[in-house]
């Protein structure tokens, strides 16, 4: 959700933001950016997902939402490879299946009273998305969304009302929407959005925008609030979540601290705060009011040799909103990780 922070955004033109109580973030610069989304003068861009081309990482792709219109596919050069009119899709995620199929799905909020999950396949050679169809995912407004292949292919619908519904997705025939069965239902007390799975053990992290970050063990229907809004490391809203796994259970969880245009980094598995960073002004501009984020710690070529971090930029004037690309190596260096 975009917060009206014009004053903060203006101050960021010279660097990165702080709040009266927040711990100042270190500044990193974007190494690239995408073309703006097509919906101008609106809060439209929202959430990115990364497909890594293992054979040629420089040919990797980014799938991202214009929540007023549909899905864009970008190359690492930020150029638009394709667009599909999918309507009001808010958050997006993708997985590469064992047979090489890249399965893409998004939270569909066309019907604000009843959520759906819209599904697609990505042709990685052409960069084109093909719609498979949508399936219902329960009452409420579709909002956050993430997927996992831990155990089976699962998708989590996060509704604006606070309900979390996990679906196991079955196989599908070419050109047909997959069938799905709800296997778990959870909730948080107030509006959530960002979510991410730890593929190593199935742990699920969910951001409750005005409260903090929840953790649910694999298969559990009750969770624990592991990091609360404190106006030091996390400033509401908590938005996108991303994970950088290392070893058996280590690494980092990154959260968009939207209220002060920063990103909070926590060590895993204990969720100890280790630092904060912001995307400062540079060749490609700063990033403010970030909603969705995505992170892959594999190499994507010389510009992103230790991984790629992508953040939605909610304040990209005079152009429409877009997505900033950041070297994960630059983040690690800035934070001394």
């Amino acid at each position: 959700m975009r917060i009206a922070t014009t004053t903060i955004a203006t101050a960021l033109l010279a660097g990165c933001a702080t709040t009266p109580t927040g711990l100042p973030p270190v500044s990193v610069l974007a190494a690239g950016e995408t073309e703006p989304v097509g919906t101008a003068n609106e809060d439209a861009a929202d959430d990115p997902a990364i497909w890594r081309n293992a054979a040629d990482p420089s040919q990797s792709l980014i799938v991202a939402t214009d929540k007023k219109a549909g899905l864009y596919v970008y190359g690492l050069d930020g150029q638009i490879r394709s667009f599909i009119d999918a309507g009001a899709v808010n958050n997006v995620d993708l997985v590469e299946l064992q047979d090489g199929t890249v399965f893409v799905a998004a939270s569909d909020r066309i019907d604000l009273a009843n959520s759906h999950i819209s599904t697609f396949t990505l042709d990685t050679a052409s960069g084109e998305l093909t719609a498979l169809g949508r399936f219902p995912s329960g009452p409420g407004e579709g909002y956050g969304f993430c997927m996992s292949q831990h155990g089976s292919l699962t998708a989590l619908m996060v509704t604006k009302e606070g309900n979390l519904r996990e679906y196991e997705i079955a196989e599908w025939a070419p050109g047909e929407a997959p069938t799905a069965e709800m296997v778990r239902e959870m909730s948080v007390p107030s509006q959530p959005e960002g979510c991410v799975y730890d593929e190593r053990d199935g742990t699920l992290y969910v951001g409750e925008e005005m409260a903090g970050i929840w953790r649910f063990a694999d298969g559990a229907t009750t969770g624990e609030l592991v990091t609360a809004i404190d106006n030091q490391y996390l400033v509401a809203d908590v938005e996108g979540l991303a994970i950088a796994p290392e070893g058996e259970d280590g690494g980092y969880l990154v959260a968009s601290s939207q209220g002060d245009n920063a990103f909070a980094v926590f060590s895993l598995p204990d969720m100890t705060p280790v630092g904060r960073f912001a995307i400062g002004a540079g060749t490609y501009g700063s990033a403010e009011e970030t909603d969705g984020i995505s992170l892959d710690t594999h190499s994507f070529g010389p510009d992103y040799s230790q991984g790629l971090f992508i953040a939605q930029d909610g304040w990209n004037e005079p152009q429409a909103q877009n997505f900033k690309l950041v070297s994960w190596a630059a983040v690690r260096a800035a934070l001394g990780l």
Side-chain angles (χ1 to χ4, degrees), residues 26-162:
V26 299
S27 181
V28 299
L29 301 180
E33 66 178 342
T34 68
E35 291 187 62
V37 298
T39 304
N41 302 315
E42 294 220 32
D43 179 24
D46 198 280
D47 190 43
I50 303 168
W51 172 74
R52 180 176 180 269
N53 186 330
D56 184 356
S58 67
Q59 297 303 307
S60 299
L61 298 171
I62 302 159
V63 180
T65 60
D66 177 336
K67 60 190 176 188
K68 309 292 185 181
L71 290 168
Y72 283 90
V73 179
Y74 299 97
L76 292 190
D77 59 2
Q79 298 299 301
I80 296 171
R81 297 285 296 276
S82 69
F83 171 78
I84 187 168
D85 180 358
V89 286
N90 197 60
N91 280 191
V92 65
D93 203 358
L94 61 81
V95 295
E96 183 168 355
L97 305 179
Q98 289 186 348
D99 64 1
T101 299
V102 178
F103 179 75
V104 178
S107 55
D108 183 323
R109 62 196 300 192
I110 295 172
D111 178 353
L112 298 182
N114 297 284
S115 68
H116 292 77
I117 295 173
S118 288
T119 63
F120 312 82
T121 54
L122 173 64
D123 184 324
T124 57
S126 68
E128 299 280 342
L129 288 164
T130 298
L132 296 173
R134 61 204 283 258
F135 62 84
S137 50
E141 181 178 346
Y143 210 47
F145 183 79
C146 53
M147 290 196 291
S148 171
Q149 290 193 88
H150 178 76
S152 61
L153 177 59
T154 57
L156 184 77
M157 169 55 70
V158 177
T159 69
K160 206 168 189 177
E161 295 77 11

Side-chain angles (χ1 to χ4, degrees), residues 18 46 50 67 76 82 87 105 127 155 158-159 163 165 183 207 220 227 243 246 276 286 290-291 295 336:
T18 64
D46 198 280
I50 303 168
K67 60 190 176 188
L76 292 190
S82 69
V158 177
T159 69
N163 295 309
R165 301 186 187 96
V183 293
T227 298
I243 193 168
E246 293 182 4
R276 309 172 79 245
S286 54
T290 293
D291 286 320
L295 173 60

Side-chain angles (χ1 to χ4, degrees), residues 159-309:
T159 69
K160 206 168 189 177
E161 295 77 11
N163 295 309
L164 317 172
R165 301 186 187 96
E166 187 178 74
Y167 290 83
E168 184 173 315
I169 298 175
E171 295 182 0
W172 62 91
E176 293 184 3
T179 58
E181 177 185 0
M182 190 174 73
V183 293
R184 181 166 52 149
E185 187 168 14
M186 304 150 283
S187 66
V188 295
S190 65
Q191 180 174 306
E193 185 172 6
C195 63
V196 68
Y197 285 93
D198 187 334
E199 289 292 313
R200 295 169 296 183
D201 61 5
T203 299
L204 170 67
Y205 296 89
V206 177
E208 185 185 1
E209 292 189 353
M210 301 302 293
I213 300 171
W214 288 79
R215 179 166 60 196
F216 294 82
D218 184 25
T221 54
T222 58
E224 57 176 333
L225 185 68
V226 290
T227 298
I229 296 289
D230 60 0
N231 291 321
Q232 294 187 67
Y233 286 97
L234 275 182
V235 180
D237 290 358
V238 178
E239 290 287 337
L241 301 180
I243 193 168
E246 293 182 4
E248 184 176 337
D249 62 0
Y252 305 96
L253 184 80
V254 184
S256 171
S257 177
Q258 190 187 68
D260 69 339
N261 308 299
F263 304 93
V265 183
F266 303 88
S267 66
L268 296 174
D270 53 9
M271 287 293 290
T272 299
V274 297
R276 309 172 79 245
F277 69 96
I279 301 173
T283 301
Y284 299 100
S286 54
E288 295 81 44
E289 299 181 353
T290 293
D291 286 320
I293 60 177
S294 191
L295 173 60
D296 188 319
T297 58
H298 294 89
S299 174
F300 286 80
D303 291 336
Y304 310 102
S305 61
Q306 295 182 38
L308 172 63
F309 175 78

